[in-house]
Amino acid sequence: MGCGTSAVATETQVKRVEEAEAMKAAVLIQRWYRRYMAHLEMRRRYTWNIFQSIEYAGEQDQLQLSSFFSFMLDNFTQLNGNGPDLISQLLDPVLDPWLGRETCFSCIPVPDSYTGPRLTFPLSVSDTNALLNAFKEQQTLHAKYLLQLLCETKKLLRQMPNIVHLSTSYTKDITICGDLHGRLDDLLLIFYKNGLPSAETPYVFNGDFVDRGKKSIEVVVLLFAYFLLYPDYMHLNRGNHEDHIMNLRYGFTKEVMQKYKTHGREILQLFQDVFSLLPLATVIDGKILIVHGGISDQTDLDFLNSVERHKVRGLVCFILRRRHCQLTHQDSAASCSSSSSSSSSSSTLCSPRSPSSLSPRPCPSSPSIHFTVNSLQVPFLDSLSSLSPPSPPQYEREWKQIVDILWSDPKNQDGCYPNTFRGGGCYFGPDVTQRLMLQHGLQLLIRSHECKQEGYELCHGGRVITIFSASNYYEEGSNRGAYIKMGKDLIPRFYQYQVGRGTRKLTLTQRVRVAESSALKALKEQLFTHRSELMAAFKEFDHNNTGCVSVSEWAQVLESVLRLDLPWRTLRPHLVRLTAEGAVEYESCFEDMGSGTQLAQVTPNLAETLFRYRTDIEIIFNIIDKDHSGLISIEEFRQTWRLFSAHLGVDINNQAIDDLARSIDFNKDGSIDFTEFLEAFRVVHKLDKYQHQSRMDSNTERL
C-alpha cells in the first residue's frame, strides 16, 4: 500500500514537472512571437515612413518647378518670336477654335473596325454598362466619344456650385470614396461590393481620380459617365491631382498621349477645362463636410462658395500668375513714368517687355556661368498681353482658400502652419477643426489626400476622418482601400478591401518583405541622386580621409541633406556597411546603384543634375513639345537646359550642353527624342541589372 502511494506521488510530480516545462515553453514561444511581431511591425512602419516621405518630397518639387518658371519670367523674353510659349500655356493656354464648337467631335470618323462602345447622348444605362464591359476587356474608348463625353461633362459642371449640398432624407445611404489614382480594379471592386451608382446608391468621389495608376482614363471616364447619367446621385470633388502640372509629373498626360496619339492634345485640353470646373466640397445634411485635403484657420465656406473656381488651375499656375501680375504692374509703372517724355509710351502699358528693357538676374551661386539675354531668349507671355490682371489681394485669397482645401493635412498639435513637407496647403490642428465646426454648425470632416494602411483613419477626437480608396498604393500588399457609408443617423460605417489574388496568398511576413524591398530601393535612389551633397557633407566629418564616419554623424548628414525625417539608425543595416570598429563606410551607400545608358559626353556634374531633376526636366520638355511627339529641337533643348542650370546654380559650361545636344541628335535631323534621352538618366540597381543580364544570357544560350 505504501509503495502504491509512493508511485502515485511520483506520477503526480512528473506531471507537474511536465506542466511546468510546457508552461515555460509556451512562455518562451509567446515571447519569441511577440518579439517577432514587434520587429515585423517596426519594419512595416519604417517602410511606410519611407514611402510617404519620398512621395511628399516629390510633391514639394512642384515649388522647385514654379521657382524655375518664375526665374524665366524675371529674366527672359521671346523665343524666336513664334507665338505663345510654355509659361503662357500653363497660365492661359491658347484654345483651339476647333474645340470651341459644340460639335467638334462630329467630324471625327469612327472606323468599322472599331469594336469598342459606341456612345449615344444623353447617356443611358446601356451606355455605362458598355463602358464597364469594354474597360474590363482592356478596350479603349474611341477619341470621338471621349471628346463628346468631356464636352457634355464640361457643360454640366458649369451649372454646379462650388459646394454641393446633399440630403440623406431621399436615400438610404450615401457612399463616400477617397483617392483612386487610376486604379480601375479598385473602382470596379467598389461597384461590385457596394452597387453601381444609381438613385438607390448615390456616391461622392473625393478627388484624385487620376495619376500614378495605369488606368486613369478609364477611371475618370466611368466617373464622368455616371455623373452624366445620374447628376443628382453621382458627385465629384476636385483633388490636388486634378491639375495640369501634377498630371505632367505623375503620369496622366503621358497616359493620354499614349492611348490617343491622334487627338491627344485636344483631349488633354478638355480634361484641363473639366478638372478646373469640378466642385470643391460636398456637405451632407449641413453636418458633414467633405473636401479632398483639409482646412486652414482661414477657411471660410461662405467665401469659398463665391470664388470662380475655374480660374485656379493649380499651385504652380497661381504662383506664375501672381508673378506675372507683379511684373505687369512694374512695367505699367515704368511706362507711366516715361509718358511725360514720350506720348506714345502709353500704348505699351500691357505689352510684353522688349529684349532691350530686360537684364538677366545674376546667379550668385554660379559665377562661372556666362550668358546674355540675346543668347538665352525664352518665350514670354504673349497670350496674356491683352488681359487685364486681376486684383492681386482678391485673387490670392481665392487661391489660398482653394489650395488649403486641396493640399492640407491634419496634425495632432493645435495650430495652423505651412505644410512645408508637401509644399502646399497647411497643417491644421484640433483647435482649427473645432473652430470651423462651431462656425458652420458641422459635426464631421471627411477628407482624403493621404494613404492609410487600413484605408481609413480617425483623428482630432473622431471629428476628422481620412478615407483612401486605392489599395496596394505603394506596393502590392502595402495598404487596404476603404469607403464610407453614411445613413440618416450620420454615423460613418467603414468597408475595407484589397485588390489582387496574389496579395491574398501572401503571408504577412511576405507582404512586409515585398513592400520593404521596394521602399529601400526608392530610398537608395534618393541617396544616389544626392551623391555630391552627401559626399561633401561626409568629408566635413572625415578630416583624415579615412572613408568612415560615426553612425551618429552618418545619420546627421543624411537627414540634413535629404530632409526625409526617417529613422536612419534603424535603416542603417540596409544602407551601409560598418567597419570592425563600428564606423560607417559612407561610400558604401552608393555601391549597389548605377546609371542607365552611359553617355560619354556627359560630365559627372551634369549627369548628377540630370538624375536629380529628371522629372522636372521631363515636365519642361513636355510643355515645350506642343504636339506631344516626344521630340524637341536642339535649340530648344540647349536654351531650356541653360536656363535650368543657371536657375539651379549648377556649374556647367555652355560647351558641355552643346556637346550633349549634338550627341543625342542620333539621326542628325535637328530634333531630340527626349524620352529616350531621359531614360539614360534613370537610377539602375546593379543587382537588378545583373539579374536582367543573366536572364538575357540564359535566353541566348537556349537559342
Side-chain angles (χ1 to χ4, degrees):
M1 184 174 177
C3 292
T5 304
S6 176
V8 171
T10 302
E11 289 179 6
T12 303
Q13 290 175 352
V14 170
K15 286 182 179 180
R16 287 176 179 172
V17 170
E18 290 176 347
E19 289 175 356
E21 291 295 329
M23 184 61 69
K24 287 181 180 178
V27 169
L28 286 173
I29 292 172
Q30 190 179 58
R31 287 177 179 173
W32 172 86
Y33 179 75
R34 285 176 176 172
R35 283 198 298 269
Y36 176 79
M37 293 304 294
H39 181 67
L40 202 63
E41 177 62 18
M42 177 190 70
R43 291 169 61 192
R44 192 172 75 104
R45 289 189 180 186
Y46 71 58
T47 295
W48 191 259
N49 288 342
I50 292 171
F51 279 134
Q52 284 206 323
S53 296
I54 293 175
E55 179 188 5
Y56 295 165
E59 291 185 346
Q60 192 178 33
D61 288 343
Q62 298 295 99
L63 294 185
Q64 172 70 45
L65 199 60
S66 67
S67 178
F68 167 64
F69 290 137
S70 297
F71 176 75
M72 293 176 67
L73 282 178
D74 285 344
N75 293 280
F76 305 103
T77 60
Q78 188 73 17
L79 174 65
N80 302 328
N82 292 329
D85 59 278
L86 71 164
I87 299 181
S88 301
Q89 293 181 60
L90 293 177
L91 295 176
D92 285 283
V94 176
L95 294 176
D96 189 336
W98 180 81
L99 282 175
R101 302 202 306 265
E102 291 293 324
T103 57
C104 62
F105 40 78
S106 61
C107 59
I108 302 176
V110 180
D112 294 336
S113 59
Y114 172 69
T115 58
R118 296 175 181 264
L119 305 182
T120 57
F121 294 83
L123 292 178
S124 64
V125 173
S126 61
D127 290 314
T128 54
N129 287 341
L131 283 171
L132 279 170
N133 293 328
F135 293 157
K136 288 177 183 178
E137 298 297 324
Q138 312 297 319
Q139 292 180 322
T140 300
L141 182 64
H142 194 275
K144 173 179 179 175
Y145 302 117
L146 177 54
L147 283 166
Q148 189 171 4
L149 183 137
L150 291 174
C151 287
E152 295 296 323
T153 304
K154 181 178 176 181
K155 285 194 291 186
L156 184 55
L157 284 173
R158 280 177 173 159
Q159 304 170 26
M160 304 290 291
N162 292 347
I163 301 177
V164 177
H165 289 264
L166 307 180
S167 173
T168 58
S169 60
Y170 302 107
T171 184
K172 183 179 178 182
D173 291 301
I174 296 176
T175 303
I176 303 152
C177 301
D179 300 34
L180 285 168
H181 280 300
R183 266 70 170 186
L184 178 63
D185 288 343
D186 285 293
L187 179 61
L188 296 178
L189 184 58
I190 292 170
F191 286 164
Y192 174 77
K193 290 170 67 73
N194 191 63
L196 294 173
S198 67
E200 293 73 32
T201 313
Y203 280 89
V204 177
F205 284 88
N206 198 25
D208 278 13
F209 317 128
V210 300
D211 283 335
R212 302 189 187 277
K214 297 179 180 180
K215 299 284 187 179
S216 291
I217 293 175
E218 289 80 357
V219 167
V220 78
V221 163
L222 284 174
L223 295 180
F224 289 167
Y226 280 109
F227 172 64
L228 291 174
L229 182 62
Y230 299 112
D232 294 328
Y233 305 104
M234 185 69 165
H235 307 281
L236 308 174
N237 283 349
R238 183 177 177 181
N240 67 307
H241 275 261
E242 278 68 61
D243 176 301
H244 177 45
I245 296 296
M246 297 295 282
N247 298 157
L248 281 167
R249 177 181 288 274
Y250 292 105
F252 181 60
T253 297
K254 184 179 291 185
E255 180 186 338
V256 171
M257 295 311 302
Q258 286 175 347
K259 292 180 179 178
Y260 296 95
K261 299 186 184 300
T262 304
H263 296 284
R265 185 182 177 190
E266 293 82 8
I267 290 170
L268 278 174
Q269 198 165 305
L270 267 177
F271 266 122
Q272 291 176 40
D273 293 343
V274 171
F275 287 164
S276 69
L277 288 167
L278 287 167
L280 303 172
T282 302
V283 176
I284 300 177
D285 289 348
K287 297 293 183 182
I288 313 296
L289 174 64
I290 307 171
V291 296
H292 177 73
I295 58 174
S296 74
D297 54 0
Q298 302 297 315
T299 298
D300 182 340
L301 298 185
D302 296 327
F303 178 78
L304 194 65
N305 205 30
S306 66
V307 304
E308 295 181 88
R309 64 181 185 269
H310 65 279
K311 290 185 176 180
V312 181
R313 288 177 170 261
L315 183 62
V316 172
C317 292
F318 165 75
I319 295 172
L320 292 178
R321 185 183 290 277
R322 179 173 59 180
R323 183 64 186 143
H324 170 246
C325 290
Q326 293 170 352
L327 293 175
T328 303
H329 287 308
Q330 290 171 8
D331 289 349
S332 298
S335 299
C336 288
S337 64
S338 62
S339 61
S340 59
S341 60
S342 173
S343 60
S344 62
S345 63
S346 60
S347 64
T348 64
L349 289 178
C350 293
S351 300
R353 294 171 292 174
S354 63
S356 61
S357 67
L358 278 166
S359 59
R361 183 179 65 185
C363 187
S365 59
S366 157
S368 61
I369 298 178
H370 303 290
F371 55 87
T372 65
V373 174
N374 291 332
S375 65
L376 280 177
Q377 288 178 337
V378 170
F380 196 61
L381 301 173
D382 292 347
S383 63
L384 294 174
S385 60
S386 61
L387 299 177
S388 56
S391 170
Q394 175 72 6
Y395 187 77
E396 287 197 30
R397 188 183 175 200
E398 291 181 355
W399 168 82
K400 187 178 187 325
Q401 291 277 323
I402 293 177
V403 169
D404 282 347
I405 67 167
L406 296 183
W407 283 82
S408 297
D409 294 310
K411 285 293 181 183
N412 292 325
Q413 298 80 16
D414 281 348
C416 185
Y417 47 97
N419 191 335
T420 54
F421 214 51
R422 285 190 188 268
C426 66
Y427 290 121
F428 62 98
D431 58 327
V432 177
T433 299
Q434 184 176 11
R435 193 180 311 133
L436 184 82
M437 290 185 172
L438 290 174
Q439 180 182 352
H440 295 282
L442 301 168
Q443 67 183 44
L444 185 65
L445 169 64
I446 298 177
R447 43 91 62 178
S448 303
H449 196 43
E450 288 182 287
C451 182
K452 299 299 179 182
Q453 289 182 332
E454 296 303 320
Y456 71 94
E457 185 178 88
L458 280 69
C459 63
H460 294 186
R463 293 177 176 171
V464 175
I465 297 174
T466 298
I467 189 73
F468 197 86
S469 299
S471 64
N472 307 312
Y473 179 63
Y474 293 121
E475 183 58 68
E476 188 76 16
S478 63
N479 67 284
R480 296 180 181 180
Y483 56 88
I484 298 172
K485 297 194 77 168
M486 189 79 67
K488 293 180 176 63
D489 55 6
L490 299 184
I491 297 175
R493 300 185 300 281
F494 301 96
Y495 296 82
Q496 298 169 292
Y497 55 86
Q498 195 156 22
V499 169
R501 295 177 182 176
T503 305
R504 291 194 293 269
K505 292 179 180 178
L506 295 177
T507 65
L508 175 61
T509 303
Q510 289 171 328
R511 288 201 298 270
V512 170
R513 187 183 299 127
V514 169
E516 179 187 46
S517 175
S518 180
L520 289 171
K521 279 186 177 182
L523 183 57
K524 288 177 181 180
E525 290 176 11
Q526 292 288 312
L527 299 180
F528 186 82
T529 57
H530 290 80
R531 179 169 183 165
S532 293
E533 288 177 82
L534 290 170
M535 288 296 293
F538 286 139
K539 290 183 183 299
E540 289 184 7
F541 290 101
D542 183 19
H543 302 295
N544 298 322
N545 293 322
T546 62
C548 299
V549 293
S550 69
V551 173
S552 62
E553 290 168 343
W554 174 81
Q556 181 182 339
V557 166
L558 260 63
E559 185 53 40
S560 64
V561 172
L562 300 179
R563 298 180 182 178
L564 293 176
D565 193 24
L566 292 173
W568 295 110
R569 290 172 179 267
T570 303
L571 295 170
R572 193 269 313 154
H574 303 284
L575 301 176
V576 288
R577 288 196 310 269
L578 292 182
T579 64
E581 294 76 24
V584 172
E585 297 179 5
Y586 52 81
E587 288 196 57
S588 63
C589 286
F590 319 107
E591 282 183 349
D592 60 347
M593 287 169 292
S595 60
T597 306
Q598 299 291 332
L599 295 175
Q601 296 80 3
V602 179
T603 63
N605 195 19
L606 177 57
E608 183 169 339
T609 305
L610 284 164
F611 278 119
R612 186 181 307 180
Y613 299 105
R614 181 178 180 275
T615 303
D616 287 342
I617 296 168
E618 184 175 12
I619 291 172
I620 295 165
F621 286 166
N622 270 308
I623 297 170
I624 295 173
D625 178 27
K626 297 182 180 66
D627 61 357
H628 298 280
S629 64
L631 300 173
I632 60 172
S633 71
I634 287 183
E635 189 60 26
E636 287 172 331
F637 175 87
R638 285 175 178 149
Q639 293 174 337
T640 302
W641 181 245
R642 286 173 188 167
L643 276 173
F644 199 66
S645 59
H647 166 63
L648 294 173
V650 180
D651 187 7
I652 301 171
N653 62 53
N654 290 341
Q655 187 61 45
I657 297 172
D658 290 343
D659 291 343
L660 176 61
R662 283 192 296 270
S663 69
I664 59 181
D665 180 15
F666 300 113
N667 57 2
K668 307 304 177 186
D669 65 348
S671 297
I672 293 171
D673 185 337
F674 64 84
T675 303
E676 184 177 334
F677 162 66
L678 289 172
E679 185 63 17
F681 297 96
R682 181 173 53 85
V683 179
V684 176
H685 295 264
K686 292 181 179 178
L687 180 60
D688 294 344
K689 186 192 288 187
Y690 172 76
Q691 290 173 342
H692 175 72
Q693 186 61 45
S694 298
R695 285 194 296 270
M696 294 290 289
D697 294 342
S698 176
N699 293 336
T700 304
E701 289 175 5
R702 287 176 191 154
L703 293 172

